[in-house]
Amino acid sequence: MDYIEKQMAALDKRVNARISKLESSIIDLKARQRNDEFVYGVGGAYRRKENAINKSEKEIVELKEFVKQIKKPLVAEEIIFSVLYCKECHNEILTQGRTREEWHECPVCRKMIYGRAGKKLMGIVNQRYLE
């Protein structure tokens, strides 16, 4: 096993331990919530336990999403786009690569655009990596 696989296994073990702890905590909170309902009604103690249950369930969902992201990394190809804005047709134009000129022709309305182009770095994800 190489270093990354060992770290992935250790992280997976810790996440699974945390998930099992949260699940047992939820079961305990639901039991105590039912007991409090008979004594106090659906008041403060019931609501506090309900909020704690919702918080734990949200954390479980986040941990499962985290594990899914780690096991299947996103492979993206980074491309630099030059961004131009046309004031006539109100379109944002993206061109691949860097532009050095100050005058550009809008491909939609054919008006000339003056100004330096801003640059954006975007990642293009291959279709096979999407679920």
Side-chain angles (χ1 to χ4, degrees), residues 7-85:
Q7 296 301 317
M8 291 283 288
L11 184 64
D12 195 37
K13 184 179 175 182
R14 292 177 107 183
V15 167
N16 287 335
R18 178 69 179 158
I19 288 174
S20 63
K21 184 177 179 182
L22 286 170
E23 287 172 345
S24 65
S25 171
I26 288 174
I27 292 169
D28 182 48
L29 282 170
K30 285 183 178 181
R32 291 190 329 187
Q33 187 181 31
R34 282 191 298 273
N35 292 339
D36 285 348
E37 183 179 7
F38 291 120
V39 176
Y40 302 109
V42 195
Y46 183 88
R47 296 279 183 226
R48 283 191 297 274
K49 289 182 180 60
E50 185 175 343
N51 290 339
I53 290 169
N54 291 339
K55 186 177 176 183
S56 298
E57 288 174 346
K58 183 181 174 186
E59 187 175 345
I60 288 173
V61 169
E62 288 175 356
L63 286 171
K64 287 182 179 179
E65 286 295 319
F66 177 67
V67 168
K68 189 189 297 185
Q69 289 175 0
I70 287 176
K71 289 190 177 182
K72 195 169 192 180
L74 188 68
V75 178
E77 179 182 336
E78 292 183 344
I79 298 176
I80 296 175
F81 285 106
S82 296
V83 182
L84 301 165
Y85 180 74

Side-chain angles (χ1 to χ4, degrees), residues 102-114:
E102 292 186 5
W103 286 94
H104 308 279
E105 183 181 6
C106 176
V108 178
C109 67
R110 300 287 186 209
K111 298 284 183 177
M112 292 303 286
I113 303 170
Y114 177 76

